[in-house]
Amino acid sequence: MAEGSRPTLVTVAEHARVSRQTVSNVLNSPEIVRPETRERVLRAIEELGYRPNVVARQLRTRRSSVLGLRMPPASDGISGQVLDRFLHALTDEAQRAGLRVMLFTAEDDDAEIREYQTLRATTGIDGFVLANTHAGDPRTQWLCDHDVPFVTVGRPWDDGGAPGASTSDDGLPHKVDDHPWVDIDGRAGTRAATQHLLDAGHRRVAFLGWPEGSGVGDDRLAGWLETLTDAGLAGDAVVQRTEDSVAMGAAAANRVLRDDDVTALVCVSDSIALGALAAARELAASRPDRAPVAITGFDDTPVARAVDLTSVAQPVADVAARAIELLRGQLDARPDSPDASTGVAQDRQVLIEPHLVVRATSRAAR
Amino acid sequence: MAEGSRPTLVTVAEHARVSRQTVSNVLNSPEIVRPETRERVLRAIEELGYRPNVVARQLRTRRSSVLGLRMPPASDGISGQVLDRFLHALTDEAQRAGLRVMLFTAEDDDAEIREYQTLRATTGIDGFVLANTHAGDPRTQWLCDHDVPFVTVGRPWDDGGAPGASTSDDGLPHKVDDHPWVDIDGRAGTRAATQHLLDAGHRRVAFLGWPEGSGVGDDRLAGWLETLTDAGLAGDAVVQRTEDSVAMGAAAANRVLRDDDVTALVCVSDSIALGALAAARELAASRPDRAPVAITGFDDTPVARAVDLTSVAQPVADVAARAIELLRGQLDARPDSPDASTGVAQDRQVLIEPHLVVRATSRAAR
């Protein structure tokens, strides 16, 4: 390259001994270029200091291929670990689909919406991944209103979150409730845990849940109650609701275990299960005559593995893969159909079944 | 705005009833604009569909204001939780400094370097934050060679990681070892833990560590050994090295505790401490005559809080803040001094002291 002149696509192609099209492919669809060639072109780009394509590409495609994700504040809860696995899986899947994940933080839903605006204006972000959806979520409403591609991890809970329940009387989908989402079927998870305990001979299986009004928590409770109802044991159903912490879990377990007939606890989270485990251990020490208590948690966190706690495992990688699929689909549909986000509903809403990992805490002899 | 014409900075300014400069500020230095004004301008941008500034700004500044961070694969370890807190803090600090964090994944160091190339070429990323540094790290070498701004969280371990030790015989700093980094002073952490146990009357304090050769692990071991040496107790020093897991921690503790004189264990991580705790509990049950064993962990994970484990807490938010400061400084120095990354060494290398959180596991009566 001549001294002083700026590198171009052509000089890069010459330097790497490939066609212009190949250089263009490396920049726009790297996944279709052979790794060796890709590396050679990237090396040439680096060596020549070629950098204008971001601009050119965004001008041409009006796309950044970047997805925004709000990084939730670190919770003190034990279940936070699931987030790490999800983030890694999401980044990995995005990368495979030619997309990148950009993080941001926000204090609350309104601040998150302000960040959507800023990010759209300053970084030209193409779409968003939302977590922690809840009934009446203003974020999904805003994104729908502004026709911004997005997917939520977690269903809209306005209608109880049943898939397909979001069609109105006239049979047309509501715009907001009908947005693309991926979620774990928590109800199926607690159903599996409860059935496992019934199969082991337990009859009085109590539930330690979160305070009423959390979509996720109420869904997990429903799975337990359904299973007891099916077994004709709903009359004995005992529920304690409590905040999500180990200490509160222990306190709730102590209250429930005053009833000697309760021999098993299905817990809404590993944090609460860990507390219940401590309570059950103390009870066993002070009341050797009492039947041992079986316990299941939810999330299959590293702590569950560490203390040998039976727990419901969330297939986080599947969730990430489906979320990226749903976003990629929206982005690809955009040039032809600018209103693609109000399309057909059914397969844009994905409920993934978790599975029970049985460990020592529910294997104790009856 | 006239039907059909593309919105411009001027139409946005008119629509929001502010000056052109204010619109420009909202896009380039949003932090200096009053929140109400900022929101009004962003609303106008959204309503008018104004989007060309990404391109314009990148052309003008040759900056993306985006930092790249490799999302490490989710570890099964309990300490992974620290990552969540770090990511949130880093994103938050970056945002305050007008920067964004973009994630990527890579299988190993070489793949990570390839992603640096791709990201620089396709997204115009301005700099990188690296974690998990190790001796002979090819990533920092590559970034230095290509004059790309970066900061590592974790010091270069080539020289044992002592700050200031990276100057060569001629007094000049090595280029690579001298890069900006922020780290937690692990040695100070285990020193505090060991001293705390000595102060409580323990004399034979063993160390459960990781296999030799890990910079972080060897540093934590050094803090324990120094403290025993200072107390004239190094002759009794007992070390067991093991992989980082709860089960391995329990096995290592069992080996060490065969010696009845060992009454305290300093553990290199909360995972290993959790295993040691289980081993100590079993020992107490089977050998009521034996002195109770005090235990400390490292990382102050939610699990440590849950099981009331004394642990060394890492000030993750401070680390994130200093890392962003160091990167921001490099980016700001760039236009004037293209070689800014080979500047003065001292205050570009920050060692932050952790603190010991004392809980029940080291408070047991001697």
Side-chain angles (χ1 to χ4, degrees), chain A residues 51-80:
Chain A
R51 288 277 298 278
N53 62 296
V54 187
V55 170
R57 188 170 55 140
Q58 289 201 9
L59 264 181
R60 199 178 65 253
T61 63
R62 307 210 123 247
R63 277 207 197 166
S64 62
S65 296
V66 176
L67 306 176
L69 174 76
R70 175 183 169 198
M71 185 70 200
S75 80
D76 265 7
I78 285 165
S79 307

PDB file of all heavy atoms in Angstrom, chain A residues 51-80:
ATOM      1  N   ARG A  51     -10.399   0.361   8.954  1.00  0.00           N
ATOM      2  CA  ARG A  51     -11.458   0.430   9.963  1.00  0.00           C
ATOM      3  C   ARG A  51     -12.796   1.038   9.513  1.00  0.00           C
ATOM      4  O   ARG A  51     -13.641   1.275  10.360  1.00  0.00           O
ATOM      5  CB  ARG A  51     -10.981   1.261  11.183  1.00  0.00           C
ATOM      6  CG  ARG A  51      -9.967   0.632  12.061  1.00  0.00           C
ATOM      7  CD  ARG A  51     -10.600  -0.316  13.074  1.00  0.00           C
ATOM      8  NE  ARG A  51     -11.523   0.332  13.984  1.00  0.00           N
ATOM      9  CZ  ARG A  51     -11.177   1.002  15.072  1.00  0.00           C
ATOM     10  NH1 ARG A  51      -9.934   1.138  15.420  1.00  0.00           N
ATOM     11  NH2 ARG A  51     -12.096   1.545  15.846  1.00  0.00           N
ATOM     12  N   PRO A  52     -13.028   1.323   8.240  1.00  0.00           N
ATOM     13  CA  PRO A  52     -14.219   2.125   7.934  1.00  0.00           C
ATOM     14  C   PRO A  52     -15.512   1.333   7.813  1.00  0.00           C
ATOM     15  O   PRO A  52     -16.568   1.912   7.668  1.00  0.00           O
ATOM     16  CB  PRO A  52     -13.869   2.722   6.574  1.00  0.00           C
ATOM     17  CG  PRO A  52     -13.017   1.678   5.947  1.00  0.00           C
ATOM     18  CD  PRO A  52     -12.348   0.908   7.044  1.00  0.00           C
ATOM     19  N   ASN A  53     -15.441   0.015   7.903  1.00  0.00           N
ATOM     20  CA  ASN A  53     -16.596  -0.766   7.517  1.00  0.00           C
ATOM     21  C   ASN A  53     -17.773  -0.690   8.473  1.00  0.00           C
ATOM     22  O   ASN A  53     -18.899  -0.910   8.094  1.00  0.00           O
ATOM     23  CB  ASN A  53     -16.174  -2.205   7.387  1.00  0.00           C
ATOM     24  CG  ASN A  53     -15.693  -2.697   8.721  1.00  0.00           C
ATOM     25  OD1 ASN A  53     -14.694  -2.210   9.238  1.00  0.00           O
ATOM     26  ND2 ASN A  53     -16.411  -3.602   9.318  1.00  0.00           N
ATOM     27  N   VAL A  54     -17.486  -0.414   9.753  1.00  0.00           N
ATOM     28  CA  VAL A  54     -18.586  -0.320  10.712  1.00  0.00           C
ATOM     29  C   VAL A  54     -19.583   0.691  10.170  1.00  0.00           C
ATOM     30  O   VAL A  54     -20.773   0.459  10.072  1.00  0.00           O
ATOM     31  CB  VAL A  54     -18.083   0.214  12.079  1.00  0.00           C
ATOM     32  CG1 VAL A  54     -19.199   0.130  13.100  1.00  0.00           C
ATOM     33  CG2 VAL A  54     -16.852  -0.507  12.522  1.00  0.00           C
ATOM     34  N   VAL A  55     -19.018   1.834   9.819  1.00  0.00           N
ATOM     35  CA  VAL A  55     -19.787   2.935   9.293  1.00  0.00           C
ATOM     36  C   VAL A  55     -20.500   2.539   8.012  1.00  0.00           C
ATOM     37  O   VAL A  55     -21.715   2.682   7.887  1.00  0.00           O
ATOM     38  CB  VAL A  55     -18.808   4.106   9.037  1.00  0.00           C
ATOM     39  CG1 VAL A  55     -19.485   5.208   8.265  1.00  0.00           C
ATOM     40  CG2 VAL A  55     -18.246   4.606  10.356  1.00  0.00           C
ATOM     41  N   ALA A  56     -19.728   2.005   7.081  1.00  0.00           N
ATOM     42  CA  ALA A  56     -20.294   1.639   5.781  1.00  0.00           C
ATOM     43  C   ALA A  56     -21.413   0.617   5.951  1.00  0.00           C
ATOM     44  O   ALA A  56     -22.497   0.767   5.387  1.00  0.00           O
ATOM     45  CB  ALA A  56     -19.200   1.077   4.883  1.00  0.00           C
ATOM     46  N   ARG A  57     -21.137  -0.372   6.756  1.00  0.00           N
ATOM     47  CA  ARG A  57     -22.116  -1.434   6.894  1.00  0.00           C
ATOM     48  C   ARG A  57     -23.396  -0.919   7.560  1.00  0.00           C
ATOM     49  O   ARG A  57     -24.502  -1.243   7.159  1.00  0.00           O
ATOM     50  CB  ARG A  57     -21.543  -2.593   7.701  1.00  0.00           C
ATOM     51  CG  ARG A  57     -22.450  -3.795   7.698  1.00  0.00           C
ATOM     52  CD  ARG A  57     -21.777  -5.001   8.281  1.00  0.00           C
ATOM     53  NE  ARG A  57     -21.290  -4.685   9.625  1.00  0.00           N
ATOM     54  CZ  ARG A  57     -21.367  -5.541  10.650  1.00  0.00           C
ATOM     55  NH1 ARG A  57     -21.863  -6.729  10.474  1.00  0.00           N
ATOM     56  NH2 ARG A  57     -20.915  -5.216  11.814  1.00  0.00           N
ATOM     57  N   GLN A  58     -23.211  -0.103   8.606  1.00  0.00           N
ATOM     58  CA  GLN A  58     -24.401   0.381   9.283  1.00  0.00           C
ATOM     59  C   GLN A  58     -25.203   1.308   8.385  1.00  0.00           C
ATOM     60  O   GLN A  58     -26.423   1.330   8.438  1.00  0.00           O
ATOM     61  CB  GLN A  58     -24.011   1.092  10.583  1.00  0.00           C
ATOM     62  CG  GLN A  58     -23.523   0.108  11.630  1.00  0.00           C
ATOM     63  CD  GLN A  58     -23.613   0.682  13.035  1.00  0.00           C
ATOM     64  OE1 GLN A  58     -24.182   1.737  13.251  1.00  0.00           O
ATOM     65  NE2 GLN A  58     -23.050  -0.025  13.994  1.00  0.00           N
ATOM     66  N   LEU A  59     -24.498   2.083   7.576  1.00  0.00           N
ATOM     67  CA  LEU A  59     -25.199   2.958   6.630  1.00  0.00           C
ATOM     68  C   LEU A  59     -26.016   2.137   5.651  1.00  0.00           C
ATOM     69  O   LEU A  59     -27.155   2.444   5.352  1.00  0.00           O
ATOM     70  CB  LEU A  59     -24.189   3.797   5.845  1.00  0.00           C
ATOM     71  CG  LEU A  59     -23.921   5.198   6.358  1.00  0.00           C
ATOM     72  CD1 LEU A  59     -22.923   5.887   5.447  1.00  0.00           C
ATOM     73  CD2 LEU A  59     -25.206   6.013   6.439  1.00  0.00           C
ATOM     74  N   ARG A  60     -25.404   1.056   5.163  1.00  0.00           N
ATOM     75  CA  ARG A  60     -26.049   0.253   4.128  1.00  0.00           C
ATOM     76  C   ARG A  60     -27.198  -0.558   4.715  1.00  0.00           C
ATOM     77  O   ARG A  60     -28.298  -0.569   4.211  1.00  0.00           O
ATOM     78  CB  ARG A  60     -25.021  -0.671   3.471  1.00  0.00           C
ATOM     79  CG  ARG A  60     -25.461  -1.202   2.117  1.00  0.00           C
ATOM     80  CD  ARG A  60     -24.398  -2.063   1.492  1.00  0.00           C
ATOM     81  NE  ARG A  60     -24.160  -3.270   2.246  1.00  0.00           N
ATOM     82  CZ  ARG A  60     -23.085  -3.505   3.005  1.00  0.00           C
ATOM     83  NH1 ARG A  60     -22.122  -2.616   3.111  1.00  0.00           N
ATOM     84  NH2 ARG A  60     -22.957  -4.632   3.656  1.00  0.00           N
ATOM     85  N   THR A  61     -26.906  -1.274   5.818  1.00  0.00           N
ATOM     86  CA  THR A  61     -27.906  -2.209   6.331  1.00  0.00           C
ATOM     87  C   THR A  61     -28.818  -1.562   7.368  1.00  0.00           C
ATOM     88  O   THR A  61     -29.837  -2.123   7.700  1.00  0.00           O
ATOM     89  CB  THR A  61     -27.226  -3.408   7.019  1.00  0.00           C
ATOM     90  OG1 THR A  61     -26.492  -2.912   8.145  1.00  0.00           O
ATOM     91  CG2 THR A  61     -26.281  -4.124   6.079  1.00  0.00           C
ATOM     92  N   ARG A  62     -28.426  -0.398   7.868  1.00  0.00           N
ATOM     93  CA  ARG A  62     -29.145   0.227   8.979  1.00  0.00           C
ATOM     94  C   ARG A  62     -29.263  -0.760  10.142  1.00  0.00           C
ATOM     95  O   ARG A  62     -30.242  -0.810  10.855  1.00  0.00           O
ATOM     96  CB  ARG A  62     -30.532   0.727   8.539  1.00  0.00           C
ATOM     97  CG  ARG A  62     -30.485   1.632   7.320  1.00  0.00           C
ATOM     98  CD  ARG A  62     -31.619   2.661   7.317  1.00  0.00           C
ATOM     99  NE  ARG A  62     -31.097   4.005   7.233  1.00  0.00           N
ATOM    100  CZ  ARG A  62     -31.187   4.902   8.205  1.00  0.00           C
ATOM    101  NH1 ARG A  62     -31.781   4.609   9.340  1.00  0.00           N
ATOM    102  NH2 ARG A  62     -30.684   6.099   8.053  1.00  0.00           N
ATOM    103  N   ARG A  63     -28.246  -1.545  10.304  1.00  0.00           N
ATOM    104  CA  ARG A  63     -28.240  -2.534  11.374  1.00  0.00           C
ATOM    105  C   ARG A  63     -26.915  -2.515  12.094  1.00  0.00           C
ATOM    106  O   ARG A  63     -25.877  -2.320  11.487  1.00  0.00           O
ATOM    107  CB  ARG A  63     -28.366  -3.943  10.790  1.00  0.00           C
ATOM    108  CG  ARG A  63     -29.747  -4.315  10.511  1.00  0.00           C
ATOM    109  CD  ARG A  63     -29.824  -5.808  10.611  1.00  0.00           C
ATOM    110  NE  ARG A  63     -31.025  -6.254   9.970  1.00  0.00           N
ATOM    111  CZ  ARG A  63     -31.259  -7.511   9.654  1.00  0.00           C
ATOM    112  NH1 ARG A  63     -30.330  -8.415   9.900  1.00  0.00           N
ATOM    113  NH2 ARG A  63     -32.378  -7.859   9.115  1.00  0.00           N
ATOM    114  N   SER A  64     -26.944  -2.770  13.383  1.00  0.00           N
ATOM    115  CA  SER A  64     -25.699  -2.834  14.143  1.00  0.00           C
ATOM    116  C   SER A  64     -25.355  -4.281  14.493  1.00  0.00           C
ATOM    117  O   SER A  64     -24.238  -4.579  14.888  1.00  0.00           O
ATOM    118  CB  SER A  64     -25.838  -2.033  15.433  1.00  0.00           C
ATOM    119  OG  SER A  64     -26.852  -2.605  16.237  1.00  0.00           O
ATOM    120  N   SER A  65     -26.335  -5.177  14.366  1.00  0.00           N
ATOM    121  CA  SER A  65     -26.164  -6.571  14.804  1.00  0.00           C
ATOM    122  C   SER A  65     -25.813  -6.669  16.285  1.00  0.00           C
ATOM    123  O   SER A  65     -25.118  -7.584  16.716  1.00  0.00           O
ATOM    124  CB  SER A  65     -25.102  -7.283  13.968  1.00  0.00           C
ATOM    125  OG  SER A  65     -25.518  -7.361  12.634  1.00  0.00           O
ATOM    126  N   VAL A  66     -26.273  -5.690  17.047  1.00  0.00           N
ATOM    127  CA  VAL A  66     -26.023  -5.690  18.491  1.00  0.00           C
ATOM    128  C   VAL A  66     -27.350  -5.780  19.233  1.00  0.00           C
ATOM    129  O   VAL A  66     -28.317  -5.100  18.883  1.00  0.00           O
ATOM    130  CB  VAL A  66     -25.260  -4.419  18.916  1.00  0.00           C
ATOM    131  CG1 VAL A  66     -25.082  -4.383  20.431  1.00  0.00           C
ATOM    132  CG2 VAL A  66     -23.899  -4.346  18.222  1.00  0.00           C
ATOM    133  N   LEU A  67     -27.380  -6.640  20.251  1.00  0.00           N
ATOM    134  CA  LEU A  67     -28.554  -6.784  21.104  1.00  0.00           C
ATOM    135  C   LEU A  67     -28.253  -6.182  22.471  1.00  0.00           C
ATOM    136  O   LEU A  67     -27.147  -6.337  22.983  1.00  0.00           O
ATOM    137  CB  LEU A  67     -28.895  -8.266  21.293  1.00  0.00           C
ATOM    138  CG  LEU A  67     -29.073  -9.086  20.020  1.00  0.00           C
ATOM    139  CD1 LEU A  67     -29.320 -10.549  20.388  1.00  0.00           C
ATOM    140  CD2 LEU A  67     -30.224  -8.524  19.199  1.00  0.00           C
ATOM    141  N   GLY A  68     -29.212  -5.523  23.049  1.00  0.00           N
ATOM    142  CA  GLY A  68     -29.039  -4.941  24.377  1.00  0.00           C
ATOM    143  C   GLY A  68     -29.644  -5.830  25.448  1.00  0.00           C
ATOM    144  O   GLY A  68     -30.674  -6.453  25.240  1.00  0.00           O
ATOM    145  N   LEU A  69     -28.964  -5.927  26.576  1.00  0.00           N
ATOM    146  CA  LEU A  69     -29.477  -6.712  27.710  1.00  0.00           C
ATOM    147  C   LEU A  69     -29.162  -5.967  28.996  1.00  0.00           C
ATOM    148  O   LEU A  69     -28.011  -5.609  29.248  1.00  0.00           O
ATOM    149  CB  LEU A  69     -28.810  -8.088  27.749  1.00  0.00           C
ATOM    150  CG  LEU A  69     -29.150  -8.961  28.960  1.00  0.00           C
ATOM    151  CD1 LEU A  69     -30.552  -9.568  28.813  1.00  0.00           C
ATOM    152  CD2 LEU A  69     -28.124 -10.079  29.135  1.00  0.00           C
ATOM    153  N   ARG A  70     -30.192  -5.741  29.800  1.00  0.00           N
ATOM    154  CA  ARG A  70     -29.959  -5.096  31.081  1.00  0.00           C
ATOM    155  C   ARG A  70     -29.345  -6.090  32.052  1.00  0.00           C
ATOM    156  O   ARG A  70     -29.842  -7.190  32.239  1.00  0.00           O
ATOM    157  CB  ARG A  70     -31.294  -4.605  31.651  1.00  0.00           C
ATOM    158  CG  ARG A  70     -31.143  -4.020  33.034  1.00  0.00           C
ATOM    159  CD  ARG A  70     -32.491  -3.612  33.592  1.00  0.00           C
ATOM    160  NE  ARG A  70     -32.371  -3.298  35.012  1.00  0.00           N
ATOM    161  CZ  ARG A  70     -33.394  -3.252  35.843  1.00  0.00           C
ATOM    162  NH1 ARG A  70     -34.609  -3.488  35.399  1.00  0.00           N
ATOM    163  NH2 ARG A  70     -33.203  -2.965  37.107  1.00  0.00           N
ATOM    164  N   MET A  71     -28.242  -5.690  32.656  1.00  0.00           N
ATOM    165  CA  MET A  71     -27.581  -6.530  33.650  1.00  0.00           C
ATOM    166  C   MET A  71     -28.285  -6.266  34.973  1.00  0.00           C
ATOM    167  O   MET A  71     -28.186  -5.168  35.513  1.00  0.00           O
ATOM    168  CB  MET A  71     -26.109  -6.121  33.710  1.00  0.00           C
ATOM    169  CG  MET A  71     -25.242  -6.958  34.611  1.00  0.00           C
ATOM    170  SD  MET A  71     -24.992  -8.622  33.957  1.00  0.00           S
ATOM    171  CE  MET A  71     -24.489  -9.488  35.455  1.00  0.00           C
ATOM    172  N   PRO A  72     -28.994  -7.255  35.505  1.00  0.00           N
ATOM    173  CA  PRO A  72     -29.717  -6.991  36.753  1.00  0.00           C
ATOM    174  C   PRO A  72     -28.744  -6.808  37.906  1.00  0.00           C
ATOM    175  O   PRO A  72     -27.635  -7.346  37.876  1.00  0.00           O
ATOM    176  CB  PRO A  72     -30.557  -8.257  36.951  1.00  0.00           C
ATOM    177  CG  PRO A  72     -29.847  -9.309  36.187  1.00  0.00           C
ATOM    178  CD  PRO A  72     -29.143  -8.637  35.055  1.00  0.00           C
ATOM    179  N   PRO A  73     -29.130  -6.024  38.906  1.00  0.00           N
ATOM    180  CA  PRO A  73     -28.243  -5.869  40.055  1.00  0.00           C
ATOM    181  C   PRO A  73     -28.004  -7.237  40.676  1.00  0.00           C
ATOM    182  O   PRO A  73     -28.898  -8.079  40.692  1.00  0.00           O
ATOM    183  CB  PRO A  73     -29.030  -4.964  41.010  1.00  0.00           C
ATOM    184  CG  PRO A  73     -30.426  -4.936  40.500  1.00  0.00           C
ATOM    185  CD  PRO A  73     -30.402  -5.341  39.061  1.00  0.00           C
ATOM    186  N   ALA A  74     -26.787  -7.469  41.146  1.00  0.00           N
ATOM    187  CA  ALA A  74     -26.450  -8.767  41.722  1.00  0.00           C
ATOM    188  C   ALA A  74     -27.335  -9.012  42.926  1.00  0.00           C
ATOM    189  O   ALA A  74     -27.408  -8.189  43.830  1.00  0.00           O
ATOM    190  CB  ALA A  74     -24.990  -8.782  42.124  1.00  0.00           C
ATOM    191  N   SER A  75     -28.040 -10.122  42.897  1.00  0.00           N
ATOM    192  CA  SER A  75     -28.871 -10.446  44.057  1.00  0.00           C
ATOM    193  C   SER A  75     -27.998 -11.172  45.066  1.00  0.00           C
ATOM    194  O   SER A  75     -26.991 -11.761  44.731  1.00  0.00           O
ATOM    195  CB  SER A  75     -30.027 -11.345  43.639  1.00  0.00           C
ATOM    196  OG  SER A  75     -29.573 -12.675  43.522  1.00  0.00           O
ATOM    197  N   ASP A  76     -28.403 -11.100  46.318  1.00  0.00           N
ATOM    198  CA  ASP A  76     -27.664 -11.847  47.326  1.00  0.00           C
ATOM    199  C   ASP A  76     -28.094 -13.304  47.350  1.00  0.00           C
ATOM    200  O   ASP A  76     -27.532 -14.112  48.050  1.00  0.00           O
ATOM    201  CB  ASP A  76     -27.874 -11.215  48.699  1.00  0.00           C
ATOM    202  CG  ASP A  76     -26.747 -10.243  49.009  1.00  0.00           C
ATOM    203  OD1 ASP A  76     -25.934 -10.010  48.109  1.00  0.00           O
ATOM    204  OD2 ASP A  76     -26.693  -9.751  50.134  1.00  0.00           O
ATOM    205  N   GLY A  77     -29.122 -13.588  46.553  1.00  0.00           N
ATOM    206  CA  GLY A  77     -29.676 -14.935  46.562  1.00  0.00           C
ATOM    207  C   GLY A  77     -28.737 -15.936  45.921  1.00  0.00           C
ATOM    208  O   GLY A  77     -27.852 -15.574  45.144  1.00  0.00           O
ATOM    209  N   ILE A  78     -28.966 -17.176  46.227  1.00  0.00           N
ATOM    210  CA  ILE A  78     -28.114 -18.239  45.737  1.00  0.00           C
ATOM    211  C   ILE A  78     -28.423 -18.532  44.276  1.00  0.00           C
ATOM    212  O   ILE A  78     -27.597 -19.016  43.522  1.00  0.00           O
ATOM    213  CB  ILE A  78     -28.327 -19.476  46.632  1.00  0.00           C
ATOM    214  CG1 ILE A  78     -27.604 -19.231  47.960  1.00  0.00           C
ATOM    215  CG2 ILE A  78     -27.860 -20.739  45.977  1.00  0.00           C
ATOM    216  CD1 ILE A  78     -28.006 -20.163  49.046  1.00  0.00           C
ATOM    217  N   SER A  79     -29.642 -18.195  43.842  1.00  0.00           N
ATOM    218  CA  SER A  79     -30.065 -18.525  42.486  1.00  0.00           C
ATOM    219  C   SER A  79     -29.432 -17.619  41.440  1.00  0.00           C
ATOM    220  O   SER A  79     -29.560 -17.867  40.247  1.00  0.00           O
ATOM    221  CB  SER A  79     -31.586 -18.434  42.377  1.00  0.00           C
ATOM    222  OG  SER A  79     -32.173 -19.207  43.381  1.00  0.00           O
ATOM    223  N   GLY A  80     -28.770 -16.560  41.865  1.00  0.00           N
ATOM    224  CA  GLY A  80     -28.150 -15.632  40.937  1.00  0.00           C
ATOM    225  C   GLY A  80     -27.204 -16.311  39.967  1.00  0.00           C
ATOM    226  O   GLY A  80     -27.002 -15.846  38.855  1.00  0.00           O
TER     227      GLY A  80
END
